[in-house]
PDB file of all heavy atoms in Angstrom:
ATOM      1  N   LYS A 382       0.832  -1.197   0.000  1.00  0.00           N
ATOM      2  CA  LYS A 382       0.000   0.000   0.000  1.00  0.00           C
ATOM      3  C   LYS A 382       0.871   1.253   0.000  1.00  0.00           C
ATOM      4  O   LYS A 382       1.945   1.285   0.602  1.00  0.00           O
ATOM      5  CB  LYS A 382      -0.922  -0.002   1.214  1.00  0.00           C
ATOM      6  CG  LYS A 382      -2.090  -0.967   1.091  1.00  0.00           C
ATOM      7  CD  LYS A 382      -3.133  -0.717   2.172  1.00  0.00           C
ATOM      8  CE  LYS A 382      -4.387  -1.540   1.900  1.00  0.00           C
ATOM      9  NZ  LYS A 382      -5.458  -1.271   2.877  1.00  0.00           N
ATOM     10  N   GLU A 383       0.359   2.263  -0.657  1.00  0.00           N
ATOM     11  CA  GLU A 383       1.105   3.504  -0.823  1.00  0.00           C
ATOM     12  C   GLU A 383       1.215   4.316   0.467  1.00  0.00           C
ATOM     13  O   GLU A 383       1.956   5.307   0.533  1.00  0.00           O
ATOM     14  CB  GLU A 383       0.465   4.358  -1.919  1.00  0.00           C
ATOM     15  CG  GLU A 383      -0.956   4.799  -1.645  1.00  0.00           C
ATOM     16  CD  GLU A 383      -1.994   3.753  -2.038  1.00  0.00           C
ATOM     17  OE1 GLU A 383      -1.614   2.584  -2.309  1.00  0.00           O
ATOM     18  OE2 GLU A 383      -3.187   4.095  -2.057  1.00  0.00           O
ATOM     19  N   ASP A 384       0.506   3.898   1.531  1.00  0.00           N
ATOM     20  CA  ASP A 384       0.616   4.613   2.810  1.00  0.00           C
ATOM     21  C   ASP A 384       1.751   4.065   3.675  1.00  0.00           C
ATOM     22  O   ASP A 384       1.959   4.535   4.798  1.00  0.00           O
ATOM     23  CB  ASP A 384      -0.711   4.540   3.578  1.00  0.00           C
ATOM     24  CG  ASP A 384      -1.122   3.098   3.904  1.00  0.00           C
ATOM     25  OD1 ASP A 384      -0.378   2.156   3.558  1.00  0.00           O
ATOM     26  OD2 ASP A 384      -2.208   2.918   4.501  1.00  0.00           O
ATOM     27  N   PHE A 385       2.472   3.061   3.132  1.00  0.00           N
ATOM     28  CA  PHE A 385       3.619   2.450   3.821  1.00  0.00           C
ATOM     29  C   PHE A 385       3.230   1.886   5.193  1.00  0.00           C
ATOM     30  O   PHE A 385       4.024   1.874   6.130  1.00  0.00           O
ATOM     31  CB  PHE A 385       4.782   3.444   3.969  1.00  0.00           C
ATOM     32  CG  PHE A 385       5.301   3.948   2.656  1.00  0.00           C
ATOM     33  CD1 PHE A 385       5.032   5.252   2.260  1.00  0.00           C
ATOM     34  CD2 PHE A 385       6.038   3.141   1.822  1.00  0.00           C
ATOM     35  CE1 PHE A 385       5.492   5.731   1.042  1.00  0.00           C
ATOM     36  CE2 PHE A 385       6.506   3.598   0.604  1.00  0.00           C
ATOM     37  CZ  PHE A 385       6.231   4.898   0.206  1.00  0.00           C
ATOM     38  N   SER A 386       1.998   1.420   5.296  1.00  0.00           N
ATOM     39  CA  SER A 386       1.515   0.816   6.540  1.00  0.00           C
ATOM     40  C   SER A 386       2.041  -0.599   6.726  1.00  0.00           C
ATOM     41  O   SER A 386       1.912  -1.177   7.804  1.00  0.00           O
ATOM     42  CB  SER A 386      -0.014   0.785   6.544  1.00  0.00           C
ATOM     43  OG  SER A 386      -0.503  -0.023   5.462  1.00  0.00           O
ATOM     44  N   GLY A 387       2.612  -1.141   5.664  1.00  0.00           N
ATOM     45  CA  GLY A 387       3.062  -2.533   5.704  1.00  0.00           C
ATOM     46  C   GLY A 387       2.020  -3.486   5.169  1.00  0.00           C
ATOM     47  O   GLY A 387       2.314  -4.669   4.949  1.00  0.00           O
ATOM     48  N   ARG A 388       0.825  -2.982   4.937  1.00  0.00           N
ATOM     49  CA  ARG A 388      -0.235  -3.816   4.375  1.00  0.00           C
ATOM     50  C   ARG A 388      -0.192  -3.772   2.850  1.00  0.00           C
ATOM     51  O   ARG A 388       0.591  -3.020   2.264  1.00  0.00           O
ATOM     52  CB  ARG A 388      -1.598  -3.357   4.887  1.00  0.00           C
ATOM     53  CG  ARG A 388      -1.790  -3.637   6.370  1.00  0.00           C
ATOM     54  CD  ARG A 388      -3.216  -3.396   6.822  1.00  0.00           C
ATOM     55  NE  ARG A 388      -3.402  -3.828   8.202  1.00  0.00           N
ATOM     56  CZ  ARG A 388      -3.700  -5.071   8.574  1.00  0.00           C
ATOM     57  NH1 ARG A 388      -3.869  -6.007   7.648  1.00  0.00           N
ATOM     58  NH2 ARG A 388      -3.850  -5.382   9.833  1.00  0.00           N
ATOM     59  N   HIS A 389      -1.035  -4.604   2.234  1.00  0.00           N
ATOM     60  CA  HIS A 389      -1.012  -4.740   0.776  1.00  0.00           C
ATOM     61  C   HIS A 389      -2.398  -4.540   0.159  1.00  0.00           C
ATOM     62  O   HIS A 389      -3.419  -4.797   0.815  1.00  0.00           O
ATOM     63  CB  HIS A 389      -0.489  -6.133   0.393  1.00  0.00           C
ATOM     64  CG  HIS A 389       0.940  -6.347   0.755  1.00  0.00           C
ATOM     65  ND1 HIS A 389       1.353  -6.657   2.028  1.00  0.00           N
ATOM     66  CD2 HIS A 389       2.076  -6.299  -0.013  1.00  0.00           C
ATOM     67  CE1 HIS A 389       2.675  -6.798   2.054  1.00  0.00           C
ATOM     68  NE2 HIS A 389       3.130  -6.575   0.834  1.00  0.00           N
ATOM     69  N   ASN A 390      -2.370  -4.082  -1.078  1.00  0.00           N
ATOM     70  CA  ASN A 390      -3.570  -4.105  -1.923  1.00  0.00           C
ATOM     71  C   ASN A 390      -3.550  -5.394  -2.724  1.00  0.00           C
ATOM     72  O   ASN A 390      -2.528  -5.740  -3.333  1.00  0.00           O
ATOM     73  CB  ASN A 390      -3.576  -2.909  -2.879  1.00  0.00           C
ATOM     74  CG  ASN A 390      -3.854  -1.603  -2.161  1.00  0.00           C
ATOM     75  OD1 ASN A 390      -4.791  -1.507  -1.371  1.00  0.00           O
ATOM     76  ND2 ASN A 390      -3.048  -0.576  -2.437  1.00  0.00           N
ATOM     77  N   PHE A 391      -4.662  -6.118  -2.722  1.00  0.00           N
ATOM     78  CA  PHE A 391      -4.771  -7.379  -3.451  1.00  0.00           C
ATOM     79  C   PHE A 391      -5.718  -7.186  -4.633  1.00  0.00           C
ATOM     80  O   PHE A 391      -6.697  -6.443  -4.547  1.00  0.00           O
ATOM     81  CB  PHE A 391      -5.285  -8.485  -2.534  1.00  0.00           C
ATOM     82  CG  PHE A 391      -4.376  -8.770  -1.373  1.00  0.00           C
ATOM     83  CD1 PHE A 391      -4.590  -8.145  -0.146  1.00  0.00           C
ATOM     84  CD2 PHE A 391      -3.303  -9.635  -1.503  1.00  0.00           C
ATOM     85  CE1 PHE A 391      -3.747  -8.391   0.928  1.00  0.00           C
ATOM     86  CE2 PHE A 391      -2.454  -9.894  -0.427  1.00  0.00           C
ATOM     87  CZ  PHE A 391      -2.674  -9.267   0.783  1.00  0.00           C
ATOM     88  N   SER A 392      -5.403  -7.877  -5.721  1.00  0.00           N
ATOM     89  CA  SER A 392      -6.233  -7.733  -6.919  1.00  0.00           C
ATOM     90  C   SER A 392      -6.325  -9.053  -7.667  1.00  0.00           C
ATOM     91  O   SER A 392      -5.473  -9.944  -7.497  1.00  0.00           O
ATOM     92  CB  SER A 392      -5.678  -6.640  -7.831  1.00  0.00           C
ATOM     93  OG  SER A 392      -4.301  -6.841  -8.094  1.00  0.00           O
ATOM     94  N   THR A 393      -7.353  -9.122  -8.526  1.00  0.00           N
ATOM     95  CA  THR A 393      -7.596 -10.365  -9.266  1.00  0.00           C
ATOM     96  C   THR A 393      -7.118 -10.298 -10.708  1.00  0.00           C
ATOM     97  O   THR A 393      -7.048 -11.321 -11.385  1.00  0.00           O
ATOM     98  CB  THR A 393      -9.105 -10.683  -9.282  1.00  0.00           C
ATOM     99  OG1 THR A 393      -9.796  -9.594  -9.898  1.00  0.00           O
ATOM    100  CG2 THR A 393      -9.621 -10.886  -7.863  1.00  0.00           C
ATOM    101  N   ASN A 394      -6.786  -9.082 -11.176  1.00  0.00           N
ATOM    102  CA  ASN A 394      -6.389  -8.960 -12.582  1.00  0.00           C
ATOM    103  C   ASN A 394      -5.224  -7.981 -12.714  1.00  0.00           C
ATOM    104  O   ASN A 394      -4.966  -7.161 -11.827  1.00  0.00           O
ATOM    105  CB  ASN A 394      -7.572  -8.515 -13.442  1.00  0.00           C
ATOM    106  CG  ASN A 394      -8.136  -7.179 -12.996  1.00  0.00           C
ATOM    107  OD1 ASN A 394      -7.568  -6.128 -13.292  1.00  0.00           O
ATOM    108  ND2 ASN A 394      -9.253  -7.217 -12.257  1.00  0.00           N
ATOM    109  N   LEU A 395      -4.572  -8.049 -13.863  1.00  0.00           N
ATOM    110  CA  LEU A 395      -3.362  -7.269 -14.083  1.00  0.00           C
ATOM    111  C   LEU A 395      -3.643  -5.778 -14.155  1.00  0.00           C
ATOM    112  O   LEU A 395      -2.838  -4.965 -13.675  1.00  0.00           O
ATOM    113  CB  LEU A 395      -2.668  -7.748 -15.366  1.00  0.00           C
ATOM    114  CG  LEU A 395      -1.300  -7.135 -15.668  1.00  0.00           C
ATOM    115  CD1 LEU A 395      -0.334  -7.370 -14.515  1.00  0.00           C
ATOM    116  CD2 LEU A 395      -0.744  -7.720 -16.969  1.00  0.00           C
ATOM    117  N   ASN A 396      -4.764  -5.385 -14.757  1.00  0.00           N
ATOM    118  CA  ASN A 396      -5.069  -3.953 -14.864  1.00  0.00           C
ATOM    119  C   ASN A 396      -5.198  -3.301 -13.488  1.00  0.00           C
ATOM    120  O   ASN A 396      -4.643  -2.221 -13.241  1.00  0.00           O
ATOM    121  CB  ASN A 396      -6.359  -3.745 -15.665  1.00  0.00           C
ATOM    122  CG  ASN A 396      -6.172  -4.041 -17.139  1.00  0.00           C
ATOM    123  OD1 ASN A 396      -5.059  -3.948 -17.662  1.00  0.00           O
ATOM    124  ND2 ASN A 396      -7.257  -4.406 -17.825  1.00  0.00           N
ATOM    125  N   GLU A 397      -5.933  -3.953 -12.617  1.00  0.00           N
ATOM    126  CA  GLU A 397      -6.096  -3.428 -11.257  1.00  0.00           C
ATOM    127  C   GLU A 397      -4.757  -3.385 -10.530  1.00  0.00           C
ATOM    128  O   GLU A 397      -4.430  -2.429  -9.816  1.00  0.00           O
ATOM    129  CB  GLU A 397      -7.105  -4.283 -10.493  1.00  0.00           C
ATOM    130  CG  GLU A 397      -7.475  -3.722  -9.127  1.00  0.00           C
ATOM    131  CD  GLU A 397      -8.470  -4.611  -8.395  1.00  0.00           C
ATOM    132  OE1 GLU A 397      -8.929  -5.622  -8.985  1.00  0.00           O
ATOM    133  OE2 GLU A 397      -8.775  -4.300  -7.231  1.00  0.00           O
ATOM    134  N   HIS A 398      -3.969  -4.433 -10.706  1.00  0.00           N
ATOM    135  CA  HIS A 398      -2.657  -4.494 -10.070  1.00  0.00           C
ATOM    136  C   HIS A 398      -1.756  -3.374 -10.582  1.00  0.00           C
ATOM    137  O   HIS A 398      -1.014  -2.754  -9.807  1.00  0.00           O
ATOM    138  CB  HIS A 398      -2.009  -5.852 -10.349  1.00  0.00           C
ATOM    139  CG  HIS A 398      -0.578  -5.932  -9.895  1.00  0.00           C
ATOM    140  ND1 HIS A 398      -0.220  -5.874  -8.565  1.00  0.00           N
ATOM    141  CD2 HIS A 398       0.585  -6.033 -10.601  1.00  0.00           C
ATOM    142  CE1 HIS A 398       1.096  -5.969  -8.466  1.00  0.00           C
ATOM    143  NE2 HIS A 398       1.609  -6.056  -9.686  1.00  0.00           N
ATOM    144  N   THR A 399      -1.809  -3.089 -11.881  1.00  0.00           N
ATOM    145  CA  THR A 399      -0.987  -2.027 -12.453  1.00  0.00           C
ATOM    146  C   THR A 399      -1.330  -0.685 -11.826  1.00  0.00           C
ATOM    147  O   THR A 399      -0.435   0.124 -11.522  1.00  0.00           O
ATOM    148  CB  THR A 399      -1.187  -1.966 -13.981  1.00  0.00           C
ATOM    149  OG1 THR A 399      -0.813  -3.226 -14.546  1.00  0.00           O
ATOM    150  CG2 THR A 399      -0.323  -0.869 -14.589  1.00  0.00           C
ATOM    151  N   ARG A 400      -2.613  -0.414 -11.610  1.00  0.00           N
ATOM    152  CA  ARG A 400      -3.017   0.841 -10.965  1.00  0.00           C
ATOM    153  C   ARG A 400      -2.492   0.918  -9.525  1.00  0.00           C
ATOM    154  O   ARG A 400      -2.011   1.957  -9.071  1.00  0.00           O
ATOM    155  CB  ARG A 400      -4.543   0.981 -10.986  1.00  0.00           C
ATOM    156  CG  ARG A 400      -5.119   1.235 -12.380  1.00  0.00           C
ATOM    157  CD  ARG A 400      -6.575   1.682 -12.295  1.00  0.00           C
ATOM    158  NE  ARG A 400      -7.430   0.599 -11.788  1.00  0.00           N
ATOM    159  CZ  ARG A 400      -8.016  -0.298 -12.570  1.00  0.00           C
ATOM    160  NH1 ARG A 400      -7.816  -0.296 -13.888  1.00  0.00           N
ATOM    161  NH2 ARG A 400      -8.798  -1.227 -12.057  1.00  0.00           N
ATOM    162  N   ASN A 401      -2.560  -0.214  -8.811  1.00  0.00           N
ATOM    163  CA  ASN A 401      -2.040  -0.251  -7.439  1.00  0.00           C
ATOM    164  C   ASN A 401      -0.536  -0.001  -7.426  1.00  0.00           C
ATOM    165  O   ASN A 401      -0.011   0.737  -6.581  1.00  0.00           O
ATOM    166  CB  ASN A 401      -2.350  -1.597  -6.787  1.00  0.00           C
ATOM    167  CG  ASN A 401      -3.832  -1.803  -6.519  1.00  0.00           C
ATOM    168  OD1 ASN A 401      -4.581  -0.834  -6.378  1.00  0.00           O
ATOM    169  ND2 ASN A 401      -4.255  -3.053  -6.461  1.00  0.00           N
ATOM    170  N   ALA A 402       0.152  -0.630  -8.392  1.00  0.00           N
ATOM    171  CA  ALA A 402       1.610  -0.493  -8.462  1.00  0.00           C
ATOM    172  C   ALA A 402       2.010   0.942  -8.806  1.00  0.00           C
ATOM    173  O   ALA A 402       3.008   1.458  -8.273  1.00  0.00           O
ATOM    174  CB  ALA A 402       2.174  -1.469  -9.488  1.00  0.00           C
ATOM    175  N   MET A 403       1.257   1.605  -9.676  1.00  0.00           N
ATOM    176  CA  MET A 403       1.569   2.994 -10.039  1.00  0.00           C
ATOM    177  C   MET A 403       1.432   3.916  -8.827  1.00  0.00           C
ATOM    178  O   MET A 403       2.255   4.818  -8.618  1.00  0.00           O
ATOM    179  CB  MET A 403       0.661   3.459 -11.178  1.00  0.00           C
ATOM    180  CG  MET A 403       1.020   2.853 -12.532  1.00  0.00           C
ATOM    181  SD  MET A 403      -0.072   3.415 -13.856  1.00  0.00           S
ATOM    182  CE  MET A 403       0.316   5.179 -13.869  1.00  0.00           C
ATOM    183  N   ARG A 404       0.391   3.695  -8.024  1.00  0.00           N
ATOM    184  CA  ARG A 404       0.225   4.519  -6.817  1.00  0.00           C
ATOM    185  C   ARG A 404       1.402   4.312  -5.859  1.00  0.00           C
ATOM    186  O   ARG A 404       1.890   5.266  -5.247  1.00  0.00           O
ATOM    187  CB  ARG A 404      -1.101   4.170  -6.118  1.00  0.00           C
ATOM    188  CG  ARG A 404      -2.340   4.684  -6.830  1.00  0.00           C
ATOM    189  CD  ARG A 404      -3.540   4.701  -5.890  1.00  0.00           C
ATOM    190  NE  ARG A 404      -3.884   3.365  -5.428  1.00  0.00           N
ATOM    191  CZ  ARG A 404      -4.738   2.554  -6.053  1.00  0.00           C
ATOM    192  NH1 ARG A 404      -5.315   2.960  -7.199  1.00  0.00           N
ATOM    193  NH2 ARG A 404      -5.027   1.381  -5.565  1.00  0.00           N
ATOM    194  N   TYR A 405       1.847   3.062  -5.748  1.00  0.00           N
ATOM    195  CA  TYR A 405       2.968   2.778  -4.836  1.00  0.00           C
ATOM    196  C   TYR A 405       4.268   3.404  -5.357  1.00  0.00           C
ATOM    197  O   TYR A 405       5.032   3.988  -4.586  1.00  0.00           O
ATOM    198  CB  TYR A 405       3.124   1.258  -4.675  1.00  0.00           C
ATOM    199  CG  TYR A 405       4.239   0.876  -3.717  1.00  0.00           C
ATOM    200  CD1 TYR A 405       4.133   1.176  -2.367  1.00  0.00           C
ATOM    201  CD2 TYR A 405       5.380   0.213  -4.165  1.00  0.00           C
ATOM    202  CE1 TYR A 405       5.142   0.831  -1.475  1.00  0.00           C
ATOM    203  CE2 TYR A 405       6.391  -0.143  -3.288  1.00  0.00           C
ATOM    204  CZ  TYR A 405       6.265   0.173  -1.945  1.00  0.00           C
ATOM    205  OH  TYR A 405       7.263  -0.158  -1.075  1.00  0.00           O
ATOM    206  N   ARG A 406       4.502   3.321  -6.670  1.00  0.00           N
ATOM    207  CA  ARG A 406       5.721   3.903  -7.240  1.00  0.00           C
ATOM    208  C   ARG A 406       5.730   5.426  -7.084  1.00  0.00           C
ATOM    209  O   ARG A 406       6.771   6.025  -6.806  1.00  0.00           O
ATOM    210  CB  ARG A 406       5.855   3.507  -8.706  1.00  0.00           C
ATOM    211  CG  ARG A 406       6.351   2.087  -8.921  1.00  0.00           C
ATOM    212  CD  ARG A 406       6.836   1.882 -10.349  1.00  0.00           C
ATOM    213  NE  ARG A 406       5.734   1.959 -11.300  1.00  0.00           N
ATOM    214  CZ  ARG A 406       5.018   0.894 -11.685  1.00  0.00           C
ATOM    215  NH1 ARG A 406       5.295  -0.310 -11.186  1.00  0.00           N
ATOM    216  NH2 ARG A 406       4.041   1.028 -12.562  1.00  0.00           N
ATOM    217  N   ARG A 407       4.576   6.047  -7.230  1.00  0.00           N
ATOM    218  CA  ARG A 407       4.511   7.494  -7.042  1.00  0.00           C
ATOM    219  C   ARG A 407       4.837   7.869  -5.590  1.00  0.00           C
ATOM    220  O   ARG A 407       5.490   8.877  -5.318  1.00  0.00           O
ATOM    221  CB  ARG A 407       3.129   8.028  -7.441  1.00  0.00           C
ATOM    222  CG  ARG A 407       2.917   8.113  -8.944  1.00  0.00           C
ATOM    223  CD  ARG A 407       1.727   9.009  -9.282  1.00  0.00           C
ATOM    224  NE  ARG A 407       0.466   8.433  -8.824  1.00  0.00           N
ATOM    225  CZ  ARG A 407      -0.323   7.669  -9.591  1.00  0.00           C
ATOM    226  NH1 ARG A 407       0.033   7.371 -10.837  1.00  0.00           N
ATOM    227  NH2 ARG A 407      -1.453   7.193  -9.109  1.00  0.00           N
ATOM    228  N   ALA A 408       4.390   7.029  -4.665  1.00  0.00           N
ATOM    229  CA  ALA A 408       4.694   7.278  -3.251  1.00  0.00           C
ATOM    230  C   ALA A 408       6.198   7.145  -3.000  1.00  0.00           C
ATOM    231  O   ALA A 408       6.783   7.931  -2.236  1.00  0.00           O
ATOM    232  CB  ALA A 408       3.915   6.304  -2.371  1.00  0.00           C
ATOM    233  N   LEU A 409       6.829   6.167  -3.648  1.00  0.00           N
ATOM    234  CA  LEU A 409       8.288   6.026  -3.526  1.00  0.00           C
ATOM    235  C   LEU A 409       9.004   7.238  -4.115  1.00  0.00           C
ATOM    236  O   LEU A 409       9.982   7.744  -3.534  1.00  0.00           O
ATOM    237  CB  LEU A 409       8.749   4.750  -4.243  1.00  0.00           C
ATOM    238  CG  LEU A 409       8.354   3.401  -3.605  1.00  0.00           C
ATOM    239  CD1 LEU A 409       8.798   2.255  -4.520  1.00  0.00           C
ATOM    240  CD2 LEU A 409       8.972   3.234  -2.232  1.00  0.00           C
ATOM    241  N   ASP A 410       8.521   7.691  -5.235  1.00  0.00           N
ATOM    242  CA  ASP A 410       9.144   8.855  -5.893  1.00  0.00           C
ATOM    243  C   ASP A 410       9.051  10.096  -4.999  1.00  0.00           C
ATOM    244  O   ASP A 410      10.001  10.880  -4.919  1.00  0.00           O
ATOM    245  CB  ASP A 410       8.475   9.124  -7.236  1.00  0.00           C
ATOM    246  CG  ASP A 410       8.794   8.066  -8.273  1.00  0.00           C
ATOM    247  OD1 ASP A 410       9.824   7.367  -8.096  1.00  0.00           O
ATOM    248  OD2 ASP A 410       8.024   7.919  -9.254  1.00  0.00           O
ATOM    249  N   ARG A 411       7.900  10.268  -4.349  1.00  0.00           N
ATOM    250  CA  ARG A 411       7.734  11.439  -3.464  1.00  0.00           C
ATOM    251  C   ARG A 411       8.755  11.442  -2.337  1.00  0.00           C
ATOM    252  O   ARG A 411       9.195  12.490  -1.880  1.00  0.00           O
ATOM    253  CB  ARG A 411       6.314  11.479  -2.886  1.00  0.00           C
ATOM    254  CG  ARG A 411       5.263  11.951  -3.875  1.00  0.00           C
ATOM    255  CD  ARG A 411       3.972  12.327  -3.153  1.00  0.00           C
ATOM    256  NE  ARG A 411       3.368  11.206  -2.456  1.00  0.00           N
ATOM    257  CZ  ARG A 411       2.494  10.378  -3.009  1.00  0.00           C
ATOM    258  NH1 ARG A 411       2.137  10.506  -4.290  1.00  0.00           N
ATOM    259  NH2 ARG A 411       1.978   9.387  -2.315  1.00  0.00           N
ATOM    260  N   LEU A 412       9.129  10.226  -1.892  1.00  0.00           N
ATOM    261  CA  LEU A 412      10.120  10.104  -0.812  1.00  0.00           C
ATOM    262  C   LEU A 412      11.536   9.944  -1.350  1.00  0.00           C
ATOM    263  O   LEU A 412      12.471   9.727  -0.576  1.00  0.00           O
ATOM    264  CB  LEU A 412       9.770   8.920   0.094  1.00  0.00           C
ATOM    265  CG  LEU A 412       8.435   9.027   0.848  1.00  0.00           C
ATOM    266  CD1 LEU A 412       8.171   7.760   1.638  1.00  0.00           C
ATOM    267  CD2 LEU A 412       8.461  10.236   1.784  1.00  0.00           C
ATOM    268  N   ASN A 413      11.664  10.037  -2.670  1.00  0.00           N
ATOM    269  CA  ASN A 413      12.969   9.934  -3.332  1.00  0.00           C
ATOM    270  C   ASN A 413      13.658   8.600  -3.022  1.00  0.00           C
ATOM    271  O   ASN A 413      14.876   8.539  -2.837  1.00  0.00           O
ATOM    272  CB  ASN A 413      13.880  11.092  -2.911  1.00  0.00           C
ATOM    273  CG  ASN A 413      14.997  11.327  -3.920  1.00  0.00           C
ATOM    274  OD1 ASN A 413      14.835  11.053  -5.129  1.00  0.00           O
ATOM    275  ND2 ASN A 413      16.122  11.808  -3.448  1.00  0.00           N
ATOM    276  N   ILE A 414      12.857   7.556  -2.963  1.00  0.00           N
ATOM    277  CA  ILE A 414      13.415   6.205  -2.752  1.00  0.00           C
ATOM    278  C   ILE A 414      13.686   5.600  -4.105  1.00  0.00           C
ATOM    279  O   ILE A 414      12.767   5.385  -4.910  1.00  0.00           O
ATOM    280  CB  ILE A 414      12.434   5.330  -1.929  1.00  0.00           C
ATOM    281  CG1 ILE A 414      12.233   5.930  -0.533  1.00  0.00           C
ATOM    282  CG2 ILE A 414      12.955   3.900  -1.831  1.00  0.00           C
ATOM    283  CD1 ILE A 414      11.214   5.201   0.301  1.00  0.00           C
ATOM    284  N   ARG A 415      14.935   5.331  -4.367  1.00  0.00           N
ATOM    285  CA  ARG A 415      15.345   4.808  -5.686  1.00  0.00           C
ATOM    286  C   ARG A 415      15.796   3.349  -5.601  1.00  0.00           C
ATOM    287  O   ARG A 415      16.276   2.916  -4.597  1.00  0.00           O
ATOM    288  CB  ARG A 415      16.491   5.665  -6.250  1.00  0.00           C
ATOM    289  CG  ARG A 415      16.122   7.143  -6.373  1.00  0.00           C
ATOM    290  CD  ARG A 415      15.054   7.350  -7.394  1.00  0.00           C
ATOM    291  NE  ARG A 415      14.648   8.757  -7.499  1.00  0.00           N
ATOM    292  CZ  ARG A 415      13.642   9.170  -8.246  1.00  0.00           C
ATOM    293  NH1 ARG A 415      12.919   8.324  -8.937  1.00  0.00           N
ATOM    294  NH2 ARG A 415      13.321  10.454  -8.294  1.00  0.00           N
TER     295      ARG A 415
END
């Protein structure tokens, strides 16, 4: 999850997973984690 709570977003298909992954990557970028 993009809130870094340690929990996860679960999904049944790739499209939904891609959206979850994009939110998480944006959160990493905001914190400058490379």
Side-chain angles (χ1 to χ4, degrees):
K382 285 192 171 183
E383 62 276 12
D384 61 1
F385 300 107
S386 62
R388 291 190 173 274
H389 294 79
N390 288 312
F391 298 94
S392 52
T393 59
N394 59 78
L395 186 57
N396 288 335
E397 187 181 356
H398 172 66
T399 300
R400 290 193 293 271
N401 291 335
M403 287 180 64
R404 287 198 297 270
Y405 182 67
R406 282 196 293 270
R407 284 197 294 267
L409 290 175
D410 290 339
R411 284 195 298 271
L412 297 177
N413 201 29
I414 297 176
R415 303 294 178 186

